[in-house]
Amino acid sequence: MKSIIITGASSGLGFETAGKLAKDKNNRLILACRNLQKAESARSKIISDTGNEEVTVLVLDTSSLSSVRAFARQYRDVFGTADVLINNAGISSQHSGTTEDGFELVFATNHLGHFLMTNLLLPYMSEMGRIITVSSDMHEPPGGIEWKGVEYIAHPDKDDRKRYSYSKLCNLYFTYKLHDILQEQGSKITANAFNPGFMATTNFAGGHMDKTRALVVKTTMPDRFGDLEKSSDALAQIAVSEQYADISGKYFDRSTNTKETSALSYDTSNREELWRKSLEYCGLTES
């Protein structure tokens, strides 16, 4: 039986992907969520829809490093090995503030928590494990983005509306660096990024966009618009289908097709800086 962890699985992309994966009763789903009540409701719905009883809820708040550590300990104690880790939980730039650990909220939630959890669980991943981190085409927002260093992103001295874009760029730097490390180690574990696109019907997009406005977005931003059904189906396939077992270091764009990311996302010095500073922030040491 495959053990599949999905963060932020109580709604939207995470929930839909979990439901698709649960249709195969050889898959065990671990819904890693901040809101226990919503997660339990999601669990009940998935079990009712699929008949798969192997659906478990574990509390996880990726904005809190202590919560991430507690989750990793609990997961290892209960399940041991992980086969698939889908780093999906995220918040938009509508959120702002500083976490209990002193980091900018969006950076901590979308990048740092997943960075720590992946590193803590990596020794427990199965030989052919898969790590998929949900990024976004907003890593290259309209008007572009300038890399101002990790310290600026983690501890900004002013409100920056591009904080979401920075976090999604960090997701790519993390994925590409993790892929390099795994390759150097001769590991068969894969690391990929996935862009679901802008989905008007999810809570992330407000969850209340009417059909007319959604059509406007789809018409004016066809390269950014995403369909929840199609994106969740693609993400589920990438997570478990054998044809993706050997694909690593790639960016899947709203489908099972890969594409190149922005020129900035391939900057190796930025990638190294983020990895080094993230280790420092999480209290980890370079292996």
Side-chain angles (χ1 to χ4, degrees):
M1 178 171 282
K2 277 189 170 69
S3 292
I4 304 170
I5 303 168
I6 306 179
T7 70
S10 61
S11 63
L13 179 67
F15 172 73
E16 293 297 329
T17 304
K20 287 177 167 60
L21 290 167
K23 291 178 181 178
D24 183 344
K25 294 186 179 179
N26 290 313
N27 293 333
R28 174 193 291 124
L29 277 298
I30 294 87
L31 313 183
C33 305
R34 179 177 55 185
N35 187 316
L36 186 59
Q37 185 175 356
K38 285 181 63 178
E40 288 292 355
S41 177
R43 174 182 179 272
S44 297
K45 181 71 164 62
I46 291 170
I47 292 174
S48 174
D49 288 348
T50 67
N52 187 343
E53 298 280 345
E54 292 291 338
V55 183
T56 300
V57 169
L58 292 182
V59 175
L60 171 70
D61 179 355
T62 57
S63 74
S64 165
L65 298 183
S66 62
S67 176
V68 172
R69 291 184 185 280
F71 172 88
R73 285 194 299 270
Q74 186 177 11
Y75 182 86
R76 293 190 306 249
D77 291 345
V78 175
F79 298 104
T81 302
D83 296 286
V84 180
L85 171 58
I86 301 178
N87 293 320
N88 164 72
I91 57 175
S92 71
S93 57
Q94 295 175 356
H95 298 82
S96 62
T98 303
T99 70
E100 63 188 36
D101 302 296
F103 301 106
E104 193 281 314
L105 180 61
V106 177
F107 169 80
T109 303
N110 295 2
H111 163 68
L112 198 60
H114 286 124
F115 175 91
L116 175 59
M117 188 167 73
T118 301
N119 276 279
L120 293 177
L121 292 180
L122 200 54
Y124 302 90
M125 295 290 292
S126 59
E127 183 182 8
M128 298 293 291
R130 304 184 195 185
I131 299 165
I132 307 167
T133 300
V134 176
S135 182
S136 168
D137 51 25
M138 284 297 288
H139 74 274
E140 186 179 29
I145 192 173
E146 176 188 356
W147 183 255
K148 298 181 180 180
V150 182
E151 270 298 312
Y152 172 84
I153 300 169
H155 305 107
D157 56 9
K158 62 180 180 179
D159 183 62
D160 192 324
R161 293 183 179 180
K162 291 186 177 180
R163 55 184 171 272
Y164 176 74
S165 291
Y166 283 124
S167 73
K168 295 292 102 178
L169 179 59
C170 287
N171 290 155
L172 293 179
Y173 285 146
F174 164 65
T175 297
Y176 295 153
K177 175 62 177 178
L178 179 60
H179 163 75
D180 290 345
I181 290 173
L182 293 170
Q183 290 286 296
E184 289 167 6
Q185 294 175 345
S187 174
K188 295 180 180 178
I189 297 171
T190 61
N192 290 295
F194 180 78
N195 169 38
F198 178 81
M199 295 176 292
T201 57
T202 67
N203 290 336
F204 194 86
H208 48 69
M209 186 177 287
D210 59 42
K211 291 183 179 179
T212 301
R213 188 178 170 204
L215 181 60
V216 170
V217 175
K218 186 175 183 179
T219 303
T220 58
M221 300 192 304
D223 290 340
R224 296 188 183 273
F225 191 84
D227 180 89
L228 179 59
E229 179 67 22
K230 292 179 180 177
S231 288
S232 58
D233 184 64
L235 183 53
Q237 289 187 57
I238 296 163
V240 296
S241 176
E242 281 304 311
Q243 71 186 95
Y244 305 103
D246 300 321
I247 298 176
S248 186
K250 301 298 183 182
Y251 172 84
F252 291 88
D253 180 37
R254 297 168 295 171
S255 67
T256 55
N257 297 322
T258 62
K259 68 178 292 186
E260 296 295 298
T261 49
S262 69
L264 183 60
S265 71
Y266 294 110
D267 189 302
T268 56
S269 62
N270 295 348
R271 184 189 307 175
E272 295 295 329
E273 180 197 2
L274 178 67
W275 190 272
R276 184 178 67 255
K277 294 296 291 185
S278 296
L279 287 173
E280 178 186 319
Y281 294 155
C282 293
L284 301 175
T285 56
E286 191 83 60
S287 59

